[in-house]
């Protein structure tokens, strides 16, 4: 009987440790969720603005500054940054997970030499995307848009980059998974410098 009790407890812990939150969590539960992953909270030093491109109808919500956590990922060389966006009544509206070499918590030096970095290995990024796609599909089923295939995009003056996109909708929430990968290093005339970008991001939102 004692052995059965121990097994039941372990199963309960594992089930509660879902990596993604597809059911709208309470803001009061966020710390507890992140403690399961031994995450460290990160204090923002500047204000984050959310556009309608990033979160559909963002302007309809008076989003507060997000709670930001850095999780440990032993299977990948970039640690994910998790952001919880909420309204003044503490309703969580958007959760993002970003594996991003330029995330706000990294205080990136834009003069850093990326040419010798293992971060540019697209095979590693594709493998991570495939893992996340499988993980999300197991929970949400078939996608409603995109299939995650690698595509090459281009824009005049901005060079070429590679993308993978896929979207799910289930139980009132929408989840997007996107990868952006480019080694380009371009100084725009009279504008900013476009440094290499290696990023995978998931967004789950309720709007």
């Amino acid at each position: 009987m004692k052995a059965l009790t121990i097994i039941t407890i372990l199963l309960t812990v594992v089930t509660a440790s879902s990596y993604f939150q597809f059911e709208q969590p309470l803001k009061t539960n966020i710390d507890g969720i992140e403690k399961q992953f031994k995450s460290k909270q990160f204090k923002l030093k500047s204000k984050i603005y959310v556009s309608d491109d990033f979160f559909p109808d963002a302007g309809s919500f008076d989003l507060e500054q997000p709670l930001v956590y850095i999780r440990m990922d032993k299977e990948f060389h970039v640690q994910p940054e998790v952001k919880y966006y909420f309204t003044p009544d503490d309703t969580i509206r958007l959760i993002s997970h970003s594996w991003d070499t330029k995330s706000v918590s990294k205080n990136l030096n834009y003069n850093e030499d990326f040419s010798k970095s293992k971060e540019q290995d697209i095979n590693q990024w594709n493998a991570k995307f495939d893992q996340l796609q499988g993980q999300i599909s197991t929970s949400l089923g078939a996608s409603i848009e995109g299939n995650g295939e690698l595509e090459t995009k281009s824009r005049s003056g901005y060079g070429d980059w590679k993308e993978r996109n896929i979207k799910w909708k289930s139980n009132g929430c929408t989840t997007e998974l996107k990868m952006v990968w480019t080694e380009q290093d371009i100084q725009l005339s009279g504008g900013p410098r476009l440094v290499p970008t290696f990023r995978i991001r998931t967004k789950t939102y309720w709007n």
Side-chain angles (χ1 to χ4, degrees):
M1 181 62 69
K2 184 179 292 186
L4 180 60
T5 301
I6 293 174
I7 291 173
T8 302
I9 293 173
L10 287 174
L11 286 174
T12 301
V13 171
V14 171
T15 302
S17 300
S18 175
Y19 198 86
F20 298 105
Q21 303 298 313
F22 299 122
E23 293 186 6
Q24 201 166 9
L26 297 174
K27 181 172 177 282
T28 52
N29 292 340
I30 299 305
D31 275 339
I33 291 171
E34 291 304 321
K35 282 180 180 178
Q36 297 180 69
F37 302 103
K38 299 181 179 179
S39 305
K40 295 182 179 179
Q41 189 167 7
F42 177 78
K43 300 297 183 182
L44 291 169
K45 297 179 181 178
S46 57
K47 187 175 178 62
I48 290 181
Y49 295 92
V50 179
S51 68
D52 288 345
D53 290 338
F54 188 80
F55 173 40
D57 298 324
S60 301
F61 301 96
D62 184 18
L63 294 176
E64 302 280 352
Q65 288 302 280
L67 299 174
V68 183
Y69 295 85
I70 311 302
R71 287 188 183 176
M72 296 300 296
D73 188 340
K74 296 180 180 179
E75 300 177 352
F76 200 58
H77 56 275
V78 177
Q79 303 308 305
E81 185 177 273
V82 187
K83 295 189 182 78
Y84 295 87
Y85 296 84
F86 56 95
T87 48
D89 63 357
D90 287 349
T91 300
I92 301 295
R93 289 292 178 181
L94 166 67
I95 304 172
S96 69
H97 298 71
S98 298
W99 291 257
D100 188 351
T101 57
K102 298 192 294 186
S103 61
V104 295
S105 61
K106 292 181 172 54
N107 297 315
L108 180 69
N109 176 4
Y110 282 88
N111 292 318
E112 181 180 350
D113 179 12
F114 286 88
S115 62
K116 298 179 181 179
S117 174
K118 65 181 180 181
E119 291 165 350
Q120 67 183 356
D121 185 351
I122 194 170
N123 293 320
Q124 294 185 41
W125 289 87
N126 277 327
K128 186 63 179 179
F129 186 98
D130 291 340
Q131 175 201 338
L132 295 171
Q133 180 178 347
Q135 192 173 347
I136 297 170
S137 295
T138 297
S139 296
L140 301 183
S143 63
I144 63 166
E145 186 177 312
N147 54 19
E149 288 188 2
L150 187 67
E151 299 179 305
T152 298
K153 305 282 188 176
S154 63
R155 181 180 173 186
S156 178
Y158 287 81
D160 298 338
W161 68 91
K162 297 184 183 301
E163 277 190 15
R164 298 180 68 179
N165 293 279
I166 191 165
K167 180 190 288 188
W168 297 262
K169 197 172 184 65
S170 178
N171 299 324
C173 82
T174 303
T175 297
E176 300 179 18
L177 173 62
K178 180 173 185 174
M179 182 178 89
V180 176
W181 188 95
T182 176
E183 295 178 291
Q184 68 181 357
D185 191 340
I186 302 173
Q187 179 63 58
L188 298 180
S189 178
R193 175 186 172 192
L194 302 180
V195 299
T197 299
F198 312 110
R199 179 178 67 239
I200 294 174
R201 175 183 290 140
T202 70
K203 293 184 293 183
T204 296
Y205 50 87
W206 299 262
N207 62 347

